[in-house]
Amino acid sequence: MQKAFPEMKGFSLRNLKYMRAFAEAYPDEQLVQQAVALIAWGHNVRILDTVKDQTERLWYVQQTIQHGWSRNVLVHQIESKLYQRQGKATTNFNRTLPQPQSQLAQQLLKDPYTFDFLNLGEDFLEGDLKRALIDHIRDFLLELGVGFGYLGSQYHLEVGGEDFYIDLLFYHARLHCYIVIDLKIEEFKPEYSGKMNFYVSAVDDLLRQPDDQPTIGMILCKSKNKVIAEYSLCDIYT
């Protein structure tokens, strides 16, 4: 090969083994040309090393192309098992959001979210979590996903002459809507959905513009009972 392609480099024993593995993993030449060949060789090597399922491999390839992930970001997403978490959040989007907004919103949310980058101890408070997320906003936005624009922490709203403060407020570029995030360090409780419904309604009334889609609320808890969460959300339509 070196004689046939004297201008090319990279024919080490290690790379030759990866080339063979690549050929075995992607026997469809059209698939290679239209997808896999569009990402860097180093990205392909990381995917071959760590992802064994073909469908999952192609998902990471497509996400890398779509979002322009660097190699380090790709490795982080694989190690955090993004493929298994994406689109798994308990929501009521099928009843509260129009199509295709509801389907796209569902695909963007995860369960669980991982905040290992915070390095918080065992006995931290909600205030500690909020401050740590703001201090690590770049990592937090990476975990949330592409399209989230940060608007503020403890975002002030005045409703009925009283002051209220949203933990975190974002605007999503692809969904074209505000996203309210409420942080809890406890297991999900039914009353959390009522509070979130209030925040979503207030943002829709006070901030939402005619071209914006309906506001989305996200409650990030330590854990949840799926049945309780579904019951809490089943009759909320705003």
Side-chain angles (χ1 to χ4, degrees):
M1 292 182 69
Q2 288 176 334
K3 290 180 180 180
F5 306 100
E7 74 283 358
M8 294 181 64
K9 297 181 179 180
F11 296 125
S12 65
L13 177 60
R14 181 172 179 270
N15 257 351
L16 288 172
K17 289 181 178 179
Y18 275 122
M19 292 176 192
R20 178 174 178 175
F22 181 92
E24 292 173 344
Y26 306 110
D28 186 340
E29 184 176 348
Q30 185 176 6
L31 173 65
V32 172
Q33 293 176 348
Q34 295 180 352
V36 185
L38 300 181
I39 67 175
W41 177 245
H43 288 62
N44 276 308
V45 168
R46 294 298 177 272
I47 293 174
L48 285 172
D49 273 343
T50 54
V51 182
K52 304 308 176 184
D53 178 76
Q54 180 76 334
T55 301
E56 185 176 349
R57 274 180 183 159
L58 292 177
W59 187 87
Y60 281 112
V61 169
Q62 292 162 355
Q63 294 297 306
T64 298
I65 295 171
Q66 181 178 351
H67 303 305
W69 286 344
S70 68
R71 192 186 312 179
N72 287 339
V73 170
L74 170 64
V75 171
H76 168 78
Q77 303 292 29
I78 293 173
E79 290 178 347
S80 70
K81 302 185 185 302
L82 179 61
Y83 177 78
Q84 287 83 2
R85 298 186 292 124
Q86 196 85 9
K88 300 299 191 297
T90 302
T91 74
N92 60 356
F93 292 162
N94 62 326
R95 296 189 307 280
T96 60
L97 297 176
Q99 286 287 359
Q101 178 88 349
S102 60
Q103 184 176 2
L104 178 58
Q106 183 68 53
Q107 292 171 353
L108 290 173
L109 301 190
K110 308 167 189 173
D111 187 15
Y113 283 87
T114 62
F115 299 141
D116 296 341
F117 56 85
L118 297 180
N119 296 317
L120 291 172
E122 292 291 330
D123 301 321
F124 62 88
L125 304 176
E126 282 183 12
D128 300 325
L129 175 60
K130 295 169 188 177
R131 285 189 294 272
L133 287 175
I134 300 307
D135 289 342
H136 296 80
I137 190 65
R138 182 177 179 181
D139 293 319
F140 184 36
L141 288 171
L142 175 60
E143 175 59 16
L144 288 176
V146 174
F148 282 83
Y150 174 62
L151 298 182
S153 170
Q154 294 299 299
Y155 193 95
H156 175 253
L157 295 176
E158 183 177 334
V159 181
E162 297 187 30
D163 295 320
F164 296 89
Y165 298 89
I166 295 172
D167 282 347
L168 296 165
L169 183 65
F170 294 84
Y171 190 88
H172 200 281
R174 290 182 62 193
L175 296 175
H176 301 289
C177 70
Y178 288 95
I179 296 184
V180 176
I181 295 184
D182 200 20
L183 299 171
K184 301 295 180 184
I185 61 173
E186 304 172 306
E187 184 171 316
F188 176 83
K189 296 179 181 179
E191 54 263 35
Y192 295 163
S193 59
K195 179 181 178 184
M196 177 56 73
N197 188 48
F198 168 80
Y199 284 149
V200 167
S201 298
V203 170
D204 269 342
D205 184 52
L206 300 174
L207 302 180
R208 182 184 171 191
Q209 299 299 308
D211 293 337
D212 292 331
Q213 296 294 324
T215 299
I216 292 174
M218 295 172 56
I219 304 171
L220 300 184
C221 301
K222 182 177 181 180
S223 61
K224 73 175 188 300
N225 180 307
K226 185 176 178 64
V227 175
I228 293 176
E230 289 176 345
Y231 269 61
S232 300
L233 296 173
C234 68
D235 289 327
I236 295 179
Y237 287 90
T238 57

